[in-house]
Amino acid sequence: MLWRWQLLKAVMKFLEQPPRFLFFTGKGGVGKTSIACATAIALAEAGRRVLLVSTDPASNVAQVFGAIIGNRMTDIPGAPGLSALEIDPQAAAQAYRDRIVGPVRGLLPDAVVKGIEEQLSGACTTEIAAFDEFTALLVDSALTANYDHIVFDTAPTGHTIRLLQLPGAWSGFLESGKGDASCLGPLAGLDKQRAQYGRAVEALADAARTRLVLVARAQRSALNEIARTHKELAAIGIAQQYLVINGLLPEEEAKQDALAAAIYEREQAALRALPAELAALPCDRVALRPFNLVGLDALRQLLVAAPSPANASDDEPIALDAPSLSELVDAIAADGHGLVMLMGKGGVGKTTLAAAVAVELARRGLRVHLTTSDPAAHLAETLHGSLEHLKVSRIDPHAETERYRREILAAKGAKLDAAGRAMLEEDLRSPCTEEIAVFQAFSRIIREAGESFVVMDTAPTGHTLLLLDATGAYHREVARQLDAKGAHYTTPMMQLQDPKQTKVLLATLAETTPVLEAAGLQADLRRAGIEPWAWIINNSVAAARPHSPLLRQRARNEIREIDAVAATHARRYAIVPLLKEEPVGVSRLLELAGHAVEAA
């Protein structure tokens, strides 16, 4: 298999002289797991001993290889030299909580213990606990001595690494009562391992040992997001970065039908507008494949230059009979008013779907307030004009977060020394801080839903809702920080938990990872007492009825994921087709809802 490795090295820049550690990062659905798995196979076929490690909470590494893996080093059948390990972030977080809470259970009052557990319930704990697990793989030579390369599917975020670089004693800071923090709490149990974390951070920043591969799709929003990741990680010393643009439609497919031609041109336009900081990186482009990337044979084909040809003779109709977005809006409109919340991971089209729902409601003569907190959401451009009965606003997350940070620093930071204030300031840069600040702004708008429709894009996550509704002492203190009277946290939560007042719509794509991530978000919401009302499967190739052979095979691959949503996850759902044109302007948004576009 050395010939394949020589070919790949010549084609893929990120495989040239690979260091011992390779990290792949990117948001859900861009194919980073497939790229990581294909890389691990290629390295193993070149005669190296390779360990593939996943810390993705929606990991489908086991599914990709068709093998049971789990939290142990497991040899991959049919791939000599390759082993894999799946670190379960939820299990790691639970074990981490048990280590911290166990010693005080029974010694402290139940209310205090519950407060500690709530403090450790969020996304920051999960991320730090997962880092706790794979840190040993970076610094413990006994664990990894037999491996030439360790390939990580999902890298730690810049926020986590910055926290681990903080000076001073985290535990002492917290025990002194100075840290009402969202992420420093989870760090309380790490103090004994600070030397190990220091070595791990050094390994991450060492270009001779570590290479970071940023994986994205040729979409402007995805490329802008990965540019932010690049800058964040470069700022803390992780400079050895490469870019992989995955899933590009081959030019020959653009000749097959209008849909394929439109997709190809959109992707090329996104590449021409590549952010300058990404354009300076070594970059590889990987073609879209017609087949599911499951199994060794499929993965071996992923990184080669020429994609396998699709079956051009496939003209069998694609069986898909699913409700449209307009049918969901029928049920929403029947109530006359209420709160509609669009939730989902990045890149699934929440902003566009929120605009489509709002426009369809306004078209029916109903009063609608459409609001977003997404810094990358350009609602004015998406709507491309005004519409009777529709009001649009945008909450600036940066402004809201800065206001909140000033409040907390004034209240809690005044009596801290320089080191303590530095730690508090770092903690207030947590994503959790932004969620809380934005929710406070959303709470002011929610009240309008009693008389009209409020459609919210980029709604708070399940973790934030738990944070704001928690009964523990820690979270009551957070609530007091946000509003001394506590009025903003009881009434909105009651409204969000009431299906007669609030309808949560989960947005996803008909792909494995986005569906798994949406299912995880649904579980978080249920923990907060919120039951999602419906799912929306966006940008469906199957619903677009393509003629391109490659797209037709992709459409057939979607059916399994659509069936999973319908049978397992959703009480009700709708499918929105992939459009030939960008869904910009009222007529295109109405097309998403199932209406024909008026001729120009």
Side-chain angles (χ1 to χ4, degrees):
M1 297 293 183
L2 283 175
W3 66 268
R4 189 191 302 275
W5 172 245
Q6 295 300 331
L7 173 64
L8 289 176
K9 285 199 301 180
V11 173
M12 294 292 162
K13 297 181 180 67
F14 78 90
L15 290 176
E16 295 175 0
Q17 299 181 330
R20 186 158 191 244
F21 303 118
L22 291 101
F23 283 85
F24 292 82
T25 191
K27 65 183 180 182
V30 298
K32 68 178 181 298
T33 295
S34 299
I35 299 288
C37 290
T39 298
I41 291 170
L43 289 167
E45 290 184 342
R48 319 287 175 81
R49 283 284 300 163
V50 183
L51 176 63
L52 174 66
V53 181
S54 175
T55 60
D56 191 333
S59 174
N60 59 337
V61 167
Q63 183 181 23
V64 167
F65 283 122
I68 298 174
I69 298 174
N71 193 23
R72 66 192 187 289
M73 297 178 187
T74 303
D75 293 338
I76 300 301
L82 175 60
S83 301
L85 167 67
E86 286 182 317
I87 295 174
D88 182 346
Q90 299 302 327
Q94 185 58 52
Y96 183 71
R97 285 190 289 268
D98 291 342
R99 289 203 305 273
I100 296 176
V101 178
V104 300
R105 199 182 299 278
L107 298 177
L108 297 178
D110 289 345
V112 174
V113 173
K114 187 172 183 179
I116 297 172
E117 289 176 332
E118 290 289 351
Q119 180 185 359
L120 299 173
S121 68
C124 296
T125 298
T126 302
E127 184 179 336
I128 291 166
F131 190 78
D132 185 30
E133 289 275 319
F134 78 66
T135 293
L137 301 173
L138 289 171
V139 301
D140 190 333
S141 58
L143 279 176
T144 59
N146 294 329
Y147 296 101
D148 301 305
H149 298 282
I150 304 177
V151 177
F152 292 91
D153 171 26
T154 302
T157 68
H159 171 65
T160 296
I161 296 170
R162 285 199 310 271
L163 283 171
L164 296 171
Q165 291 174 323
L166 283 175
W170 300 310
S171 297
F173 178 70
L174 290 156
E175 288 167 1
S176 65
K178 299 173 182 175
D180 298 303
S182 54
C183 290
L184 289 176
L187 286 167
L190 302 184
D191 200 45
K192 295 179 181 178
Q193 296 168 267
R194 290 188 65 207
Q196 176 168 302
Y197 285 131
R199 294 197 302 274
V201 170
E202 287 176 6
L204 286 169
D206 185 350
R209 287 186 283 172
T210 298
R211 180 171 297 172
L212 182 76
V213 182
L214 306 166
V215 184
R217 290 285 180 92
Q219 301 163 350
R220 293 194 182 189
S221 61
L223 292 170
N224 288 335
E225 182 173 324
I226 210 71
R228 290 192 292 271
T229 300
H230 158 70
K231 288 189 288 188
E232 180 184 47
L233 293 172
I236 54 179
I238 303 179
Q240 182 80 331
Q241 298 187 26
Y242 286 67
L243 176 65
V244 172
I245 309 293
N246 189 33
L248 286 166
L249 188 71
E251 184 176 6
E252 56 268 24
E253 291 293 324
K255 304 170 185 177
Q256 303 290 332
D257 67 8
L259 177 63
I263 293 171
Y264 178 79
E265 181 49 40
R266 284 208 298 265
E267 291 180 346
Q268 295 304 308
L271 293 175
R272 289 192 294 271
L274 195 68
E277 54 269 31
L278 295 184
L281 297 178
C283 180
D284 295 304
R285 299 183 180 188
V286 178
L288 185 69
R289 298 311 199 242
F291 46 81
N292 278 325
L293 291 167
V294 175
L296 295 174
D297 290 341
L299 291 167
R300 287 185 177 111
Q301 296 182 57
L302 178 58
L303 299 179
V304 296
S308 300
N311 181 3
S313 63
D314 176 19
D315 57 0
E316 181 182 345
I318 298 171
L320 183 64
D321 183 18
S324 68
L325 183 59
S326 181
E327 292 175 67
L328 285 188
V329 177
D330 286 342
I332 295 171
D335 292 339
H337 63 87
L339 176 63
V340 181
M341 302 171 73
L342 269 293
M343 292 190 176
K345 298 295 184 177
V348 298
K350 291 189 304 295
T351 299
T352 300
L353 291 174
V357 169
V359 164
E360 175 63 13
L361 288 169
R363 185 191 68 85
R364 301 176 186 213
L366 299 164
R367 288 192 300 124
V368 184
H369 182 177
L370 171 62
T371 184
T372 183
S373 67
D374 188 343
H378 304 289
L379 281 179
E381 294 178 15
T382 300
L383 290 166
H384 197 59
S386 60
L387 183 66
E388 190 178 2
H389 308 300
L390 178 63
K391 178 173 70 172
V392 179
S393 68
R394 190 178 84 84
I395 295 169
D396 185 342
H398 300 294
E400 295 295 335
T401 303
E402 184 56 33
R403 177 196 56 74
Y404 172 71
R405 288 181 68 252
R406 287 197 300 268
E407 288 180 5
I408 300 302
L409 286 171
K412 299 292 179 181
K415 298 180 180 179
L416 296 178
D417 58 22
R421 188 176 176 88
M423 283 191 281
L424 180 59
E425 288 178 342
E426 174 60 40
D427 186 53
L428 288 170
R429 285 195 285 271
S430 160
C432 305
T433 300
E434 181 175 303
E435 289 179 2
I436 296 167
V438 167
F439 186 85
Q440 188 179 31
F442 271 143
S443 296
R444 297 191 292 267
I445 297 174
I446 284 175
R447 301 188 189 98
E448 297 181 27
E451 298 179 354
S452 63
F453 280 104
V454 174
V455 180
M456 292 170 52
D457 168 40
T458 312
T461 67
H463 167 238
T464 305
L465 300 172
L466 282 171
L467 187 70
L468 296 170
D469 193 44
T471 57
Y474 171 80
H475 292 297
R476 286 199 302 271
E477 176 60 23
V478 172
R480 284 194 294 271
Q481 291 173 14
L482 294 177
D483 188 316
K485 298 179 181 179
H488 286 301
Y489 307 101
T490 300
T491 302
M493 277 303 299
M494 290 175 62
Q495 184 172 347
L496 297 178
Q497 291 168 337
D498 184 352
K500 294 180 180 179
Q501 299 185 67
T502 301
K503 289 181 172 59
V504 173
L505 309 180
L506 288 183
T508 188
L509 304 175
E511 299 174 12
T512 302
T513 300
V515 169
L516 289 174
E517 289 184 338
L521 176 55
Q522 179 164 263
D524 284 342
L525 291 170
R526 285 172 173 168
R527 287 180 61 211
I530 298 171
E531 181 62 35
W533 184 74
W535 284 46
I536 303 175
I537 300 171
N538 194 27
N539 285 337
S540 170
V541 178
R545 315 288 182 182
H547 298 291
S548 154
L550 188 151
L551 292 183
R552 286 181 64 80
Q553 289 195 30
R554 296 284 301 181
R556 296 193 188 285
N557 295 340
E558 288 186 353
I559 300 300
R560 182 184 64 181
E561 301 303 331
I562 292 171
D563 288 345
V565 170
T568 305
H569 301 303
R571 294 187 172 187
R572 59 178 65 80
Y573 72 103
I575 297 182
V576 174
L578 179 63
L579 299 183
K580 295 186 184 72
E581 305 296 334
E582 290 279 8
V584 174
V586 171
S587 64
R588 296 294 177 191
L589 291 168
L590 289 174
E591 185 182 4
L592 283 183
H595 296 280
V597 178
E598 297 178 2

